[in-house]
Amino acid sequence: MKRAALHNLGCKVNAYETQAMQQLLEQAGYKIVAFGEQADVYVVNTCSVTNIADRKSRQMLHRARRLNPDAVLVAAGCYVQAAGPDLLEEGIADIILGNNKKEHLIRMLDEYQKTQTPATDWEDINRGQKQYERLFIRQTAGHTRAFIKIQDGCNQFCSYCVIPYARGRVRSRHPDDILKEVQDLSDGGCKEVVLTGIHLSSYGTQTKEPDTHPAGSALIGLLLEIHAIAGISRIRLGSLEPGIITEEFAKTLAGMEKICPHFHLSLQSGSDTVLQRMNRKYDTREYAEKCQILRKYFKNPAITTDVIVGFPGETEEEFLTTTQFLQQIHFYEMHIFKYSKRKGTKAAVMDGQIPEAVKAQRSAALIALGEKMSKDYRDSFIGAESSVLLEEPFVYDGKKYEVGYTKEYLKIAVESEKNRSNTVVRGKITGYLTQDIYIMVEF
């Protein structure tokens, strides 16, 4: 039996695609081993969201080559798509799989085994309307939570972002395929699904059929159908754009008891002038209104976000304005990124590029702020009742626990001698066990 190892870089969409490729390999008779082990095939699913992501992608490809120089090395994903087919000439991999081509993995491996000739399956993803790539997962590690990719591509063209060029235009997965996958995962014992996409809020918007779904959203229509699947206890949403949040949208979500009140709303900056330069489609007033809507229909929802510091031209005043806005919204978690110049984007040639030292200083300040706000939010649940989906055993200070997550994605420990992974339990959150893990006493 041939051995295959995979390594994923980047977002939850990449993670889904890597899992799908792993299952393609398993179905073809490969034994999956850890990436650090000797294998006959190495697959690296790359990322290109920042310069650091590019560098890590290349590093992992070089590492795979060193692990076994005779193995077949497959490079897939966004870095590959952005770098283009010329990457093959560098000898960095034996097979190049661009985005929308991962479903061809086994065919490409079979052809390589016959010819021993490096090959590329890549096309300009920005030319013509592409079909949604048919990838599926039928099981997930731990059988607890599964990421479900329902959408690909982006039409927003934020001035700093290379992803529309690496992922192409918006395209959505057929609802029947999504529902079949969720049903299969539920049949396998999975209790929670997380819907993901490159631009999740645009799910279904490229279809020409009239939108008759409640709340005027194809996403809401899909959620209602997933909500009806027995065995699924929780539905979590990936990153959303503020524009999708309306009174009717939030009210409809709140009427589905399986929906997790955990919302990642992209922000990027708390300064309206910076948002304009970024080509974002909202201002801070609208963003704050959307957070208020969520807090109107959900009790103490977890609202998380992304922030970019050091965008070209960002003044000290604009950074201070951003800091004050973040404090005003008071997020559960913030992912802070230092602006990374991406070739081919408008921001890369803007005046006022910020020195790295200034970016690092601003990043450190917002990371510290984020840690404080996160603790404030988590502490607000002390004394409250909650439910936890247990995931794995955990030993701390000689005691046995099981840890899992609330619907708001707080990490919780429950003292237990048994293995009850993939079980939902209720109790009262009484305090914290470690800096990041809170403790719950079962009812």
Side-chain angles (χ1 to χ4, degrees):
M1 180 181 288
K2 290 188 175 181
R3 295 153 62 92
L6 301 95
H7 184 80
N8 181 69
L9 293 141
C11 64
K12 296 297 189 296
V13 171
N14 260 24
Y16 172 90
E17 293 169 345
T18 300
Q19 192 171 7
M21 287 191 288
Q22 175 177 320
Q23 292 182 23
L24 287 174
L25 288 162
E26 289 171 336
Q27 292 161 21
Y30 286 83
K31 178 183 178 181
I32 305 302
V33 299
F35 191 77
E37 296 183 23
Q38 283 281 302
D40 302 292
V41 173
Y42 292 95
V43 180
V44 178
N45 199 13
T46 63
C47 177
S48 192
V49 70
T50 63
N51 288 324
I52 292 174
D54 280 356
R55 186 163 65 249
K56 286 183 177 178
S57 295
R58 293 184 69 89
Q59 287 172 347
M60 294 312 299
L61 289 164
H62 288 308
R63 182 186 174 198
R65 188 67 87 191
R66 290 194 301 270
L67 285 167
N68 183 2
D70 296 324
V72 182
L73 178 52
V74 181
C78 289
Y79 171 67
V80 168
Q81 185 67 42
D86 292 343
L87 200 63
L88 195 68
E89 297 178 9
E90 295 183 29
I92 198 169
D94 301 304
I95 296 173
I96 300 293
L97 283 180
N99 280 330
N100 238 38
K101 301 294 184 179
K102 300 178 185 75
E103 62 182 314
H104 301 156
L105 172 62
I106 302 304
R107 175 178 62 79
M108 294 296 290
L109 283 171
D110 289 344
E111 289 179 3
Y112 183 86
Q113 301 291 350
K114 293 175 185 175
T115 66
Q116 295 295 302
T117 302
T120 299
D121 194 351
W122 182 99
E123 65 178 339
D124 186 345
I125 205 166
N126 291 285
R127 289 184 178 273
Q129 182 62 46
K130 307 303 178 190
Q131 296 298 312
Y132 188 89
E133 183 176 26
R134 290 179 63 83
L135 289 172
F136 296 86
I137 61 170
R138 292 166 177 81
Q139 60 187 23
T140 185
H143 305 289
T144 301
R145 179 185 302 110
F147 293 95
I148 308 293
K149 178 186 168 187
I150 68 167
Q151 179 276 334
D152 208 339
C154 181
N155 297 350
Q156 298 300 298
F157 288 95
C158 298
S159 62
Y160 54 83
C161 188
V162 75
I163 296 305
Y165 305 99
R167 284 281 178 175
R169 301 295 74 73
V170 165
R171 49 206 185 277
S172 300
R173 190 176 183 186
H174 196 283
D176 290 347
D177 287 345
I178 299 168
L179 296 172
K180 174 65 166 60
E181 184 168 74
V182 173
Q183 184 64 66
D184 287 348
L185 289 163
S186 175
D187 292 344
C190 180
K191 283 189 166 57
E192 179 178 314
V193 291
V194 186
L195 304 190
T196 67
I198 296 300
H199 193 260
L200 190 63
S201 298
S202 66
Y203 174 77
T205 57
Q206 82 284 7
T207 62
K208 295 181 180 179
E209 299 176 8
D211 196 345
T212 57
H213 295 292
S217 167
L219 181 58
I220 284 286
L222 175 66
L223 287 168
L224 287 166
E225 293 193 77
I226 294 175
H227 194 270
I229 295 177
I232 296 298
S233 301
R234 294 179 173 184
I235 304 167
R236 202 177 295 274
L237 292 168
S239 181
L240 297 172
E241 290 293 314
I244 199 172
I245 307 298
T246 63
E247 291 271 350
E248 189 62 31
F249 183 89
K251 182 180 179 180
T252 306
L253 284 184
M256 291 183 263
E257 58 99 13
K258 296 180 181 180
I259 293 290
C260 293
H262 176 205
F263 303 101
H264 188 87
L265 284 190
S266 299
L267 174 61
Q268 309 307 352
S269 177
S271 162
D272 287 336
T273 48
V274 175
L275 288 174
Q276 289 173 0
R277 296 200 299 275
M278 288 179 166
N279 194 34
R280 300 294 286 174
K281 313 301 186 207
Y282 52 83
D283 58 21
T284 53
R285 178 194 56 79
E286 179 185 352
Y287 188 97
E289 287 175 355
K290 304 304 185 177
C291 293
Q292 290 171 0
I293 289 172
L294 290 173
R295 286 170 172 154
K296 174 181 176 180
Y297 289 99
F298 293 91
K299 181 182 178 182
N300 202 14
I303 301 178
T304 65
T305 199
D306 301 316
V307 180
I308 295 172
V309 297
F311 188 77
E314 184 185 58
T315 64
E316 285 293 337
E317 182 180 0
E318 287 172 328
F319 176 69
L320 178 60
T321 299
T322 289
T323 303
Q324 292 170 338
F325 185 74
L326 299 176
Q327 292 169 325
Q328 172 193 332
I329 301 298
H330 210 283
F331 293 96
Y332 166 34
E333 286 182 340
M334 300 191 302
H335 304 292
I336 310 300
F337 298 91
K338 290 180 284 188
Y339 168 72
S340 180
K341 186 187 291 188
R342 310 304 290 135
K343 183 179 178 180
T345 62
K346 290 184 178 180
V349 294
M350 285 182 177
D351 294 334
Q353 298 290 327
I354 306 298
E356 289 301 318
V358 175
K359 293 182 194 176
Q361 183 181 34
R362 293 176 182 176
S363 174
L366 292 192
I367 289 171
L369 173 62
E371 290 172 349
K372 180 183 181 303
M373 290 196 298
S374 180
K375 189 174 188 306
D376 289 345
Y377 179 77
R378 287 177 286 141
D379 282 354
S380 72
F381 284 85
I382 294 176
E385 296 180 9
S386 190
S387 62
V388 175
L389 176 57
L390 300 176
E391 294 191 3
E392 60 185 355
F394 177 70
V395 177
Y396 182 78
D397 200 20
K399 288 186 178 180
K400 292 183 178 180
Y401 299 87
E402 284 188 291
V403 294
Y405 291 88
T406 67
K407 284 189 171 183
E408 296 83 6
Y409 212 65
L410 272 69
K411 194 171 187 179
I412 303 291
V414 178
E415 194 168 347
S416 177
E417 293 286 334
K418 304 175 184 177
N419 183 353
R420 295 178 297 167
S421 297
N422 207 28
T423 302
V424 177
V425 299
R426 285 196 61 80
K428 184 176 182 179
I429 300 172
T430 58
Y432 49 88
L433 185 66
T434 70
Q435 182 179 353
D436 299 316
I437 304 176
Y438 283 59
I439 191 164
M440 187 175 83
V441 176
E442 273 188 84
F443 292 142

